[in-house]
Structures are given as structure tokens and as C-alpha cells.
Amino acid sequence: MSDVDELRAHAPGRVNLIGEHTDYTGGLAFPMAIDRGTTLTGHRIDGAIRATSSDEDGEVGFALPFSGDPASVEPRWGSFLAGIARELGVTRGFDGHLTSTIPAGAGLSSSAALMCVVALALGFDGDPLELARAARRAEHAATGVPTGVMDQLCIASARAGHATLIDCRSETVEHVPVPSDIDIVVRFVTHRTLHGSAYADRVAECTAAEAIIGPLRDATLDDVERIDDQVIHRRARHVVSENQRVRSFAEALERADYPEIGRLLDEGHASLRDDFATSTDVMDAEVARLQAADGVFGARMTGGGFGGCLVAITRPGALTDGWRVKPAAGARSLAADE
Ligand code: GLA
């Protein structure tokens, strides 16, 4: 085996700072890749993928090119590898081992990280948007959940020291510096899976709202008033107000207005809890506790919801439990000593 066959690649997880459940209606989202993620080591081989994982049971193995149904691959985590292999249509695979510092099912995009790192191991060499699109299609094939592009685009394109302000309609990214005089703290609450959750219902409810008032991205709160159905009304109100919160958050970050940033986080959580119904009682109680703590500017649930993680923005050192995450670079191949 020559050195050229050696593989070492890493993809970060992400925490969404604000802009939740906006991506699949072409809205605005503001996630940040974090200094936790998934690493793959191994070597290239012809005609197959073989993989083990420190966090998952069983061994994945299938022949390339893969043209079957990714969702039918066992063990279950192998369907993500099969999804991306089918997307890329490759015949050269790898024999590798995965390790991760993001728990699966925690709302930190472990699945998007997995697919991006596997794509790199399969020799993907397109631009970040192409990677994000391929990983998103692969995730749909693997899980059947109609997720947006936020996670993959953040993980594929992130820049160290920056958060990624994403316009999910044009699929463009602006890298926004993250100040170093605040802490961004992620706290894990409970596991969840979007498969079988109300995630797909929320997507359908947004589609129903758009059938009445047009694209939510262009709608105003006055437009939302025209929706009579109270559930659809509330879902639309969340998305329209959340897009505005993303804009306000980005402006407040630029002028280092941390009280305003905190207020927007708190308001975003209330909107997810009351209008979008993706929080849980346990998460609400934890968020309330964080919001009341000394030195915390604001806190909210982050990610798809129904469990997962919370994010808080605080004065340095204000919270001692949870992960103080740093803005990290996107998915990349690693040098041997990294
Ligand atoms: C999950 C999905 C994303 C996005 C978020 C909610 O993370 O993968 O596309 O919809 O939920 O903001």
C-alpha cells in the first residue's frame, strides 16, 4: 500500500445559532461549525466500502458502485455511507474507521458530518455547495426525512473563527467573524431522531402556508394574518419572524450588542416552543434555567428539535458545564500529523 492510499479526513458538527426551521422554505439560517466532529482514518481500496465506528455497533460493508436503496443497508448507520456512495457513483472506496466527538441524535448534525467526511474519503473534489447538495440528497435517500440544506452547507463551507450566515434560497454563504469575548456554550439534553418525528409535518405545514400567502421568505407578518387555520398560522409566524431574527442577530453580532443577541435567542426559543412546537417540556425548563443564570445573554434549543441540544451565549466563563465550542473550519482532508 502506498502513502497515497492513506486516508484521514474530518468534518465538524455544527451548532445553529439562530434561524431554525427556515432552511426548507428558502429562508435564512446562521449556524457555526464547531470544534467537535467526525474523523475517518483508513486507506483507499477498489470496489468496496468497509467501515467500523467507535460509536456504532456492527461493521458496514458493501460493493461499489452502489446502486441499491441506501435505506435498506444494515447496520442502519451504513445507509448514510451508501447514500453518499450512490450520489457520487464511485467505484473506488475505502477501508476505514470512524470516530466522533458529537453524539448522534443530538441536533449537532452528526449525520451531515458523517456524509461529508465519507464524501471526502471517496475522493470528492467539487466545491462546498456541490458537496452540500450531494450530502443533502444522500441524507434524504438514507432517512426519508425532507431536511433542508443548512447543516450540509455549513459543514462543507465553514471557515475557522467564523459562523456561516446562509441564504438557503440562493444557497450562498457569508462568513461572519465570531467575537472572542463571548462564550458559545452547547448543552446536551436528550437524544432524538428526526426520523418518525413531526419534522416532516412541519415541512408540510410550511408548504400549506405557502399555498395561501406565497413564499414564506418574502412574506410579512401582515401576510401571515391572512391564514385562518390557527396551526398553519402559528407555523408561518415562526418562520417569518425567525428570518427577521436572523437578520437582526447578524447586525447585533457585528456591533457586539450582546444583550440584543441574547434577547433574540430567547425570543427564538419562545417562537419554537409556542408557534412551531418543536421544543419539549424538558428543554423548555433547561432553557429557562440557563436564561436566568448569571452572565447568560440568552439561550435557546438548537437544531431540528424534539430533543437534542441547547445553545447559550454568555460572558466568558459564565457557565461551567456544557461544551464551550469554538468556530471551526469545514470538512477537509487532514495531514498525517493533524
Ligand atoms: C435539522 C435539518 C435542517 C434544519 C434544522 C432545523 O437539523 O437537518 O435542515 O431544517 O433541522 O432548523
Side-chain angles (χ1 to χ4, degrees), residues 215-268:
L216 290 177
R217 169 65 186 271
D218 301 322
T220 63
L221 289 173
D222 281 345
D223 295 326
V224 173
E225 289 305 314
R226 298 195 341 251
I227 304 176
D228 293 333
D229 182 291
Q230 280 312 296
V231 170
I232 305 298
H233 184 115
R234 287 206 302 276
R235 305 299 187 249
R237 187 166 60 189
H238 165 73
V239 175
V240 171
S241 63
E242 186 79 348
N243 281 329
Q244 185 49 45
R245 275 187 289 276
V246 176
R247 293 187 193 94
S248 305
F249 186 100
E251 286 162 14
L253 192 63
E254 205 173 340
R255 55 176 200 273
D257 184 347
Y258 303 138
E260 173 65 0
I261 278 174
R263 193 189 66 74
L264 291 162
L265 290 181
D266 295 356
E267 196 181 281

CSV table of all heavy atoms in Angstrom, one decimal, residues 215-268:
chain,number,residue,atom,x,y,z
A,215,PRO,N,-44.3,32.4,-1.0
A,215,PRO,CA,-43.1,32.0,-0.3
A,215,PRO,C,-42.9,32.7,1.1
A,215,PRO,O,-43.0,33.9,1.2
A,215,PRO,CB,-42.0,32.5,-1.3
A,215,PRO,CG,-42.6,32.6,-2.6
A,215,PRO,CD,-44.1,32.9,-2.3
A,216,LEU,N,-42.7,31.9,2.1
A,216,LEU,CA,-42.5,32.5,3.4
A,216,LEU,C,-41.3,33.4,3.5
A,216,LEU,O,-41.3,34.4,4.3
A,216,LEU,CB,-42.4,31.3,4.5
A,216,LEU,CG,-43.7,30.5,4.7
A,216,LEU,CD1,-43.5,29.4,5.7
A,216,LEU,CD2,-44.8,31.4,5.2
A,217,ARG,N,-40.4,33.2,2.7
A,217,ARG,CA,-39.2,34.0,2.7
A,217,ARG,C,-39.6,35.5,2.4
A,217,ARG,O,-38.9,36.4,2.8
A,217,ARG,CB,-38.2,33.5,1.7
A,217,ARG,CG,-37.0,34.4,1.3
A,217,ARG,CD,-36.1,34.6,2.6
A,217,ARG,NE,-35.1,35.6,2.2
A,217,ARG,CZ,-33.9,35.2,1.7
A,217,ARG,NH1,-33.6,34.0,1.5
A,217,ARG,NH2,-33.0,36.2,1.5
A,218,ASP,N,-40.6,35.7,1.5
A,218,ASP,CA,-41.0,37.0,1.1
A,218,ASP,C,-42.1,37.5,1.9
A,218,ASP,O,-42.5,38.7,1.7
A,218,ASP,CB,-41.4,37.0,-0.4
A,218,ASP,CG,-40.2,36.5,-1.3
A,218,ASP,OD1,-39.1,36.9,-1.0
A,218,ASP,OD2,-40.5,35.8,-2.3
A,219,ALA,N,-42.7,36.7,2.8
A,219,ALA,CA,-43.9,37.1,3.5
A,219,ALA,C,-43.7,38.0,4.6
A,219,ALA,O,-42.6,38.0,5.2
A,219,ALA,CB,-44.7,35.9,4.0
A,220,THR,N,-44.6,38.8,5.0
A,220,THR,CA,-44.6,39.7,6.2
A,220,THR,C,-45.5,39.2,7.2
A,220,THR,O,-46.4,38.3,6.9
A,220,THR,CB,-45.0,41.2,5.8
A,220,THR,OG1,-46.4,41.1,5.5
A,220,THR,CG2,-44.1,41.7,4.7
A,221,LEU,N,-45.4,39.7,8.4
A,221,LEU,CA,-46.3,39.3,9.5
A,221,LEU,C,-47.8,39.7,9.1
A,221,LEU,O,-48.7,39.0,9.5
A,221,LEU,CB,-45.9,39.8,10.8
A,221,LEU,CG,-44.6,39.2,11.4
A,221,LEU,CD1,-44.2,39.9,12.7
A,221,LEU,CD2,-44.8,37.7,11.7
A,222,ASP,N,-48.0,40.7,8.4
A,222,ASP,CA,-49.3,41.1,7.9
A,222,ASP,C,-49.8,40.0,7.0
A,222,ASP,O,-51.0,39.6,7.1
A,222,ASP,CB,-49.3,42.4,7.2
A,222,ASP,CG,-49.2,43.6,8.1
A,222,ASP,OD1,-49.5,43.4,9.3
A,222,ASP,OD2,-48.9,44.7,7.7
A,223,ASP,N,-49.0,39.5,6.1
A,223,ASP,CA,-49.4,38.4,5.2
A,223,ASP,C,-49.9,37.2,6.1
A,223,ASP,O,-50.9,36.5,5.8
A,223,ASP,CB,-48.3,37.9,4.3
A,223,ASP,CG,-47.9,39.0,3.3
A,223,ASP,OD1,-48.7,39.8,2.9
A,223,ASP,OD2,-46.7,39.1,3.0
A,224,VAL,N,-49.2,36.9,7.1
A,224,VAL,CA,-49.5,35.7,8.0
A,224,VAL,C,-50.9,35.9,8.6
A,224,VAL,O,-51.6,34.9,8.7
A,224,VAL,CB,-48.4,35.6,9.1
A,224,VAL,CG1,-48.8,34.5,10.1
A,224,VAL,CG2,-47.0,35.3,8.5
A,225,GLU,N,-51.3,37.1,8.8
A,225,GLU,CA,-52.6,37.4,9.4
A,225,GLU,C,-53.8,36.8,8.5
A,225,GLU,O,-54.9,36.6,8.9
A,225,GLU,CB,-52.9,38.9,9.7
A,225,GLU,CG,-52.1,39.4,10.8
A,225,GLU,CD,-52.3,38.6,12.1
A,225,GLU,OE1,-53.4,38.3,12.4
A,225,GLU,OE2,-51.3,38.3,12.7
A,226,ARG,N,-53.4,36.6,7.2
A,226,ARG,CA,-54.5,36.1,6.3
A,226,ARG,C,-54.7,34.6,6.4
A,226,ARG,O,-55.6,34.1,5.8
A,226,ARG,CB,-54.1,36.5,4.8
A,226,ARG,CG,-53.9,37.9,4.6
A,226,ARG,CD,-53.9,38.3,3.1
A,226,ARG,NE,-53.5,37.3,2.2
A,226,ARG,CZ,-52.4,37.2,1.5
A,226,ARG,NH1,-51.5,38.1,1.7
A,226,ARG,NH2,-52.2,36.3,0.6
A,227,ILE,N,-53.9,33.9,7.2
A,227,ILE,CA,-54.0,32.5,7.3
A,227,ILE,C,-55.0,32.2,8.5
A,227,ILE,O,-54.7,32.5,9.6
A,227,ILE,CB,-52.7,31.8,7.6
A,227,ILE,CG1,-51.7,32.2,6.5
A,227,ILE,CG2,-52.8,30.3,7.7
A,227,ILE,CD1,-50.3,31.6,6.7
A,228,ASP,N,-56.2,31.6,8.1
A,228,ASP,CA,-57.2,31.4,9.1
A,228,ASP,C,-56.9,30.2,10.0
A,228,ASP,O,-57.1,30.2,11.2
A,228,ASP,CB,-58.6,31.1,8.4
A,228,ASP,CG,-59.0,32.4,7.7
A,228,ASP,OD1,-58.6,33.5,8.2
A,228,ASP,OD2,-59.8,32.3,6.7
A,229,ASP,N,-56.4,29.1,9.4
A,229,ASP,CA,-56.1,27.9,10.2
A,229,ASP,C,-55.1,28.3,11.3
A,229,ASP,O,-53.9,28.7,11.0
A,229,ASP,CB,-55.5,26.8,9.3
A,229,ASP,CG,-55.3,25.5,10.0
A,229,ASP,OD1,-54.3,25.5,10.8
A,229,ASP,OD2,-56.0,24.5,9.8
A,230,GLN,N,-55.4,28.0,12.5
A,230,GLN,CA,-54.6,28.5,13.6
A,230,GLN,C,-53.2,27.8,13.7
A,230,GLN,O,-52.2,28.5,14.0
A,230,GLN,CB,-55.3,28.4,14.9
A,230,GLN,CG,-56.3,29.5,15.2
A,230,GLN,CD,-55.7,30.9,14.9
A,230,GLN,OE1,-54.8,31.3,15.6
A,230,GLN,NE2,-56.1,31.6,13.8
A,231,VAL,N,-53.2,26.5,13.4
A,231,VAL,CA,-51.9,25.8,13.4
A,231,VAL,C,-51.0,26.4,12.3
A,231,VAL,O,-49.8,26.7,12.5
A,231,VAL,CB,-52.1,24.3,13.3
A,231,VAL,CG1,-50.8,23.6,13.1
A,231,VAL,CG2,-52.8,23.8,14.5
A,232,ILE,N,-51.5,26.4,11.1
A,232,ILE,CA,-50.7,26.9,9.9
A,232,ILE,C,-50.3,28.3,10.2
A,232,ILE,O,-49.1,28.7,9.9
A,232,ILE,CB,-51.5,26.8,8.6
A,232,ILE,CG1,-52.0,25.3,8.4
A,232,ILE,CG2,-50.6,27.2,7.4
A,232,ILE,CD1,-51.0,24.3,8.3
A,233,HIS,N,-51.2,29.1,10.7
A,233,HIS,CA,-50.9,30.5,11.1
A,233,HIS,C,-49.6,30.6,12.0
A,233,HIS,O,-48.7,31.4,11.7
A,233,HIS,CB,-52.1,31.1,11.8
A,233,HIS,CG,-52.0,32.5,12.1
A,233,HIS,ND1,-52.8,33.5,11.6
A,233,HIS,CD2,-51.2,33.2,13.0
A,233,HIS,CE1,-52.5,34.7,12.1
A,233,HIS,NE2,-51.5,34.5,12.9
A,234,ARG,N,-49.6,29.8,13.0
A,234,ARG,CA,-48.5,29.8,14.0
A,234,ARG,C,-47.2,29.4,13.4
A,234,ARG,O,-46.2,29.9,13.6
A,234,ARG,CB,-48.9,29.0,15.2
A,234,ARG,CG,-49.9,29.6,16.1
A,234,ARG,CD,-49.8,29.2,17.6
A,234,ARG,NE,-49.9,27.7,17.7
A,234,ARG,CZ,-51.0,27.1,17.8
A,234,ARG,NH1,-52.2,27.7,17.8
A,234,ARG,NH2,-51.0,25.8,17.9
A,235,ARG,N,-47.3,28.3,12.6
A,235,ARG,CA,-46.1,27.8,11.9
A,235,ARG,C,-45.5,28.9,11.0
A,235,ARG,O,-44.3,29.2,11.0
A,235,ARG,CB,-46.3,26.6,11.1
A,235,ARG,CG,-47.0,25.4,11.8
A,235,ARG,CD,-46.2,24.9,13.0
A,235,ARG,NE,-46.9,23.7,13.5
A,235,ARG,CZ,-47.5,23.6,14.7
A,235,ARG,NH1,-47.4,24.6,15.5
A,235,ARG,NH2,-48.0,22.5,15.0
A,236,ALA,N,-46.3,29.6,10.3
A,236,ALA,CA,-45.8,30.6,9.4
A,236,ALA,C,-45.3,31.8,10.2
A,236,ALA,O,-44.3,32.4,9.8
A,236,ALA,CB,-47.0,31.1,8.4
A,237,ARG,N,-46.0,32.1,11.3
A,237,ARG,CA,-45.5,33.2,12.1
A,237,ARG,C,-44.1,33.0,12.6
A,237,ARG,O,-43.2,33.9,12.7
A,237,ARG,CB,-46.5,33.5,13.2
A,237,ARG,CG,-46.1,34.7,14.1
A,237,ARG,CD,-47.3,35.1,14.9
A,237,ARG,NE,-47.6,34.1,15.9
A,237,ARG,CZ,-48.7,34.1,16.7
A,237,ARG,NH1,-49.6,35.1,16.6
A,237,ARG,NH2,-49.0,33.1,17.5
A,238,HIS,N,-43.8,31.7,13.0
A,238,HIS,CA,-42.5,31.4,13.4
A,238,HIS,C,-41.5,31.7,12.3
A,238,HIS,O,-40.4,32.3,12.5
A,238,HIS,CB,-42.3,29.9,13.9
A,238,HIS,CG,-40.9,29.5,14.0
A,238,HIS,ND1,-40.1,30.0,15.0
A,238,HIS,CD2,-40.1,28.8,13.1
A,238,HIS,CE1,-38.8,29.6,14.8
A,238,HIS,NE2,-38.8,28.9,13.6
A,239,VAL,N,-41.7,31.1,11.1
A,239,VAL,CA,-40.7,31.2,10.1
A,239,VAL,C,-40.5,32.6,9.6
A,239,VAL,O,-39.3,33.1,9.5
A,239,VAL,CB,-41.2,30.4,8.8
A,239,VAL,CG1,-40.2,30.5,7.7
A,239,VAL,CG2,-41.3,28.9,9.2
A,240,VAL,N,-41.6,33.4,9.5
A,240,VAL,CA,-41.4,34.8,9.1
A,240,VAL,C,-40.7,35.6,10.1
A,240,VAL,O,-39.7,36.4,9.8
A,240,VAL,CB,-42.8,35.4,8.7
A,240,VAL,CG1,-42.7,36.9,8.5
A,240,VAL,CG2,-43.4,34.7,7.5
A,241,SER,N,-41.0,35.4,11.4
A,241,SER,CA,-40.3,36.2,12.4
A,241,SER,C,-38.9,35.7,12.6
A,241,SER,O,-38.0,36.5,12.9
A,241,SER,CB,-41.1,36.1,13.8
A,241,SER,OG,-41.2,34.8,14.2
A,242,GLU,N,-38.7,34.4,12.4
A,242,GLU,CA,-37.3,33.8,12.6
A,242,GLU,C,-36.4,34.4,11.5
A,242,GLU,O,-35.2,34.7,11.8
A,242,GLU,CB,-37.4,32.3,12.5
A,242,GLU,CG,-36.0,31.6,12.8
A,242,GLU,CD,-35.7,31.5,14.3
A,242,GLU,OE1,-36.3,32.2,15.2
A,242,GLU,OE2,-34.7,30.8,14.6
A,243,ASN,N,-36.8,34.5,10.3
A,243,ASN,CA,-36.0,35.1,9.2
A,243,ASN,C,-35.5,36.5,9.7
A,243,ASN,O,-34.4,36.9,9.5
A,243,ASN,CB,-36.7,35.2,7.9
A,243,ASN,CG,-36.7,33.8,7.2
A,243,ASN,OD1,-35.8,33.1,7.3
A,243,ASN,ND2,-37.8,33.6,6.4
A,244,GLN,N,-36.5,37.3,10.2
A,244,GLN,CA,-36.1,38.6,10.7
A,244,GLN,C,-35.2,38.6,11.9
A,244,GLN,O,-34.2,39.4,11.9
A,244,GLN,CB,-37.4,39.4,11.1
A,244,GLN,CG,-37.2,40.8,11.4
A,244,GLN,CD,-36.3,41.6,10.4
A,244,GLN,OE1,-36.5,41.5,9.2
A,244,GLN,NE2,-35.3,42.3,10.9
A,245,ARG,N,-35.3,37.6,12.7
A,245,ARG,CA,-34.4,37.4,13.9
A,245,ARG,C,-33.0,37.2,13.4
A,245,ARG,O,-32.0,37.6,13.9
A,245,ARG,CB,-34.8,36.3,14.8
A,245,ARG,CG,-35.8,36.8,15.9
A,245,ARG,CD,-36.1,35.8,16.9
A,245,ARG,NE,-36.9,34.7,16.4
A,245,ARG,CZ,-38.2,34.6,16.3
A,245,ARG,NH1,-38.9,35.7,16.6
A,245,ARG,NH2,-38.8,33.6,15.8
A,246,VAL,N,-32.9,36.4,12.3
A,246,VAL,CA,-31.5,36.1,11.8
A,246,VAL,C,-30.9,37.4,11.3
A,246,VAL,O,-29.7,37.7,11.6
A,246,VAL,CB,-31.6,35.1,10.6
A,246,VAL,CG1,-30.2,34.9,10.0
A,246,VAL,CG2,-32.1,33.8,11.1
A,247,ARG,N,-31.6,38.2,10.6
A,247,ARG,CA,-31.0,39.5,10.1
A,247,ARG,C,-30.6,40.4,11.3
A,247,ARG,O,-29.5,40.9,11.3
A,247,ARG,CB,-32.1,40.3,9.3
A,247,ARG,CG,-32.4,39.6,8.0
A,247,ARG,CD,-33.3,40.5,7.1
A,247,ARG,NE,-33.9,39.8,6.0
A,247,ARG,CZ,-35.1,39.2,6.1
A,247,ARG,NH1,-35.9,39.3,7.1
A,247,ARG,NH2,-35.5,38.5,5.0
A,248,SER,N,-31.5,40.5,12.3
A,248,SER,CA,-31.2,41.3,13.4
A,248,SER,C,-30.0,40.8,14.2
A,248,SER,O,-29.2,41.5,14.7
A,248,SER,CB,-32.4,41.4,14.4
A,248,SER,OG,-33.6,41.8,13.7
A,249,PHE,N,-29.9,39.4,14.3
A,249,PHE,CA,-28.8,38.8,15.1
A,249,PHE,C,-27.5,39.1,14.4
A,249,PHE,O,-26.5,39.5,15.0
A,249,PHE,CB,-29.1,37.3,15.1
A,249,PHE,CG,-28.1,36.5,15.9
A,249,PHE,CD1,-28.5,36.1,17.2
A,249,PHE,CD2,-26.9,36.1,15.5
A,249,PHE,CE1,-27.6,35.3,18.0
A,249,PHE,CE2,-26.0,35.4,16.2
A,249,PHE,CZ,-26.4,35.0,17.5
A,250,ALA,N,-27.5,39.0,13.0
A,250,ALA,CA,-26.2,39.3,12.3
A,250,ALA,C,-25.8,40.7,12.5
A,250,ALA,O,-24.6,41.0,12.7
A,250,ALA,CB,-26.4,38.9,10.8
A,251,GLU,N,-26.7,41.6,12.5
A,251,GLU,CA,-26.4,43.0,12.7
A,251,GLU,C,-25.9,43.3,14.1
A,251,GLU,O,-24.9,44.0,14.4
A,251,GLU,CB,-27.6,43.9,12.5
A,251,GLU,CG,-28.0,44.0,11.0
A,251,GLU,CD,-29.4,44.5,10.7
A,251,GLU,OE1,-30.1,45.0,11.7
A,251,GLU,OE2,-29.9,44.3,9.6
A,252,ALA,N,-26.6,42.6,15.1
A,252,ALA,CA,-26.2,42.8,16.5
A,252,ALA,C,-24.8,42.2,16.8
A,252,ALA,O,-24.0,42.8,17.5
A,252,ALA,CB,-27.2,42.2,17.4
A,253,LEU,N,-24.5,41.1,16.1
A,253,LEU,CA,-23.2,40.5,16.3
A,253,LEU,C,-22.1,41.4,15.8
A,253,LEU,O,-21.1,41.6,16.4
A,253,LEU,CB,-23.2,39.2,15.5
A,253,LEU,CG,-22.0,38.2,15.8
A,253,LEU,CD1,-22.0,37.8,17.3
A,253,LEU,CD2,-22.0,37.0,14.9
A,254,GLU,N,-22.4,42.1,14.6
A,254,GLU,CA,-21.4,43.0,14.1
A,254,GLU,C,-21.1,44.1,15.0
A,254,GLU,O,-19.9,44.6,15.1
A,254,GLU,CB,-21.9,43.5,12.7
A,254,GLU,CG,-20.8,43.9,11.8
A,254,GLU,CD,-21.3,44.3,10.4
A,254,GLU,OE1,-22.5,43.8,10.1
A,254,GLU,OE2,-20.6,45.0,9.7
A,255,ARG,N,-22.1,44.6,15.7
A,255,ARG,CA,-21.8,45.7,16.6
A,255,ARG,C,-21.6,45.3,18.0
A,255,ARG,O,-21.6,46.1,19.0
A,255,ARG,CB,-22.9,46.8,16.5
A,255,ARG,CG,-24.3,46.4,16.8
A,255,ARG,CD,-25.3,47.5,16.8
A,255,ARG,NE,-26.5,47.1,17.5
A,255,ARG,CZ,-27.5,46.5,16.9
A,255,ARG,NH1,-27.5,46.2,15.6
A,255,ARG,NH2,-28.6,46.1,17.6
A,256,ALA,N,-21.4,44.0,18.2
A,256,ALA,CA,-21.1,43.4,19.5
A,256,ALA,C,-22.2,43.7,20.6
A,256,ALA,O,-21.9,44.0,21.7
A,256,ALA,CB,-19.7,43.7,20.0
A,257,ASP,N,-23.4,43.8,20.1
A,257,ASP,CA,-24.5,44.1,21.0
A,257,ASP,C,-25.1,42.8,21.7
A,257,ASP,O,-26.0,42.2,21.2
A,257,ASP,CB,-25.6,44.8,20.2
A,257,ASP,CG,-26.8,45.3,21.1
A,257,ASP,OD1,-26.9,44.8,22.3
A,257,ASP,OD2,-27.6,46.1,20.6
A,258,TYR,N,-24.4,42.3,22.7
A,258,TYR,CA,-24.7,41.0,23.3
A,258,TYR,C,-26.1,40.9,24.0
A,258,TYR,O,-26.7,39.9,23.9
A,258,TYR,CB,-23.6,40.5,24.2
A,258,TYR,CG,-22.2,40.5,23.4
A,258,TYR,CD1,-21.0,40.9,24.0
A,258,TYR,CD2,-22.2,40.0,22.1
A,258,TYR,CE1,-19.9,40.9,23.3
A,258,TYR,CE2,-21.0,40.0,21.4
A,258,TYR,CZ,-19.8,40.5,22.0
A,258,TYR,OH,-18.7,40.5,21.3
A,259,PRO,N,-26.5,42.0,24.7
A,259,PRO,CA,-27.8,41.9,25.2
A,259,PRO,C,-28.9,41.7,24.1
A,259,PRO,O,-29.8,41.0,24.3
A,259,PRO,CB,-28.0,43.3,25.9
A,259,PRO,CG,-26.6,43.7,26.3
A,259,PRO,CD,-25.7,43.2,25.1
A,260,GLU,N,-28.7,42.4,23.0
A,260,GLU,CA,-29.7,42.2,21.9
A,260,GLU,C,-29.6,40.8,21.3
A,260,GLU,O,-30.6,40.2,21.0
A,260,GLU,CB,-29.4,43.3,20.8
A,260,GLU,CG,-30.2,43.1,19.5
A,260,GLU,CD,-31.7,43.3,19.7
A,260,GLU,OE1,-32.2,43.6,20.9
A,260,GLU,OE2,-32.5,43.2,18.7
A,261,ILE,N,-28.4,40.3,21.2
A,261,ILE,CA,-28.2,38.9,20.7
A,261,ILE,C,-29.0,37.9,21.6
A,261,ILE,O,-29.7,37.0,21.2
A,261,ILE,CB,-26.7,38.6,20.6
A,261,ILE,CG1,-26.2,39.1,19.3
A,261,ILE,CG2,-26.4,37.1,20.7
A,261,ILE,CD1,-24.7,39.0,19.2
A,262,GLY,N,-28.8,38.2,22.9
A,262,GLY,CA,-29.4,37.3,23.9
A,262,GLY,C,-30.9,37.4,23.8
A,262,GLY,O,-31.6,36.4,23.9
A,263,ARG,N,-31.4,38.6,23.7
A,263,ARG,CA,-32.9,38.8,23.5
A,263,ARG,C,-33.4,38.0,22.3
A,263,ARG,O,-34.5,37.4,22.4
A,263,ARG,CB,-33.2,40.3,23.4
A,263,ARG,CG,-34.6,40.7,23.6
A,263,ARG,CD,-34.9,42.1,23.2
A,263,ARG,NE,-34.7,42.4,21.8
A,263,ARG,CZ,-35.5,42.0,20.8
A,263,ARG,NH1,-36.6,41.3,21.1
A,263,ARG,NH2,-35.3,42.3,19.5
A,264,LEU,N,-32.7,38.1,21.2
A,264,LEU,CA,-33.1,37.4,20.0
A,264,LEU,C,-33.1,35.8,20.2
A,264,LEU,O,-34.0,35.1,19.7
A,264,LEU,CB,-32.3,37.8,18.8
A,264,LEU,CG,-32.4,39.2,18.4
A,264,LEU,CD1,-31.3,39.7,17.5
A,264,LEU,CD2,-33.8,39.4,17.6
A,265,LEU,N,-32.1,35.3,21.0
A,265,LEU,CA,-32.1,33.9,21.2
A,265,LEU,C,-33.3,33.5,22.1
A,265,LEU,O,-34.0,32.5,21.8
A,265,LEU,CB,-30.8,33.5,22.0
A,265,LEU,CG,-29.5,33.6,21.3
A,265,LEU,CD1,-28.4,33.1,22.3
A,265,LEU,CD2,-29.5,32.7,20.1
A,266,ASP,N,-33.6,34.3,23.1
A,266,ASP,CA,-34.7,34.0,24.0
A,266,ASP,C,-36.0,34.0,23.2
A,266,ASP,O,-36.9,33.1,23.3
A,266,ASP,CB,-34.8,35.0,25.1
A,266,ASP,CG,-33.6,34.9,26.1
A,266,ASP,OD1,-32.8,34.0,25.9
A,266,ASP,OD2,-33.5,35.7,27.0
A,267,GLU,N,-36.2,35.0,22.4
A,267,GLU,CA,-37.4,35.2,21.6
A,267,GLU,C,-37.5,34.0,20.6
A,267,GLU,O,-38.6,33.5,20.3
A,267,GLU,CB,-37.3,36.5,20.8
A,267,GLU,CG,-38.6,37.0,20.2
A,267,GLU,CD,-38.4,38.3,19.5
A,267,GLU,OE1,-38.3,39.4,20.2
A,267,GLU,OE2,-38.3,38.3,18.3
A,268,GLY,N,-36.4,33.6,20.0
A,268,GLY,CA,-36.4,32.5,19.0
A,268,GLY,C,-36.8,31.2,19.7
A,268,GLY,O,-37.6,30.4,19.2
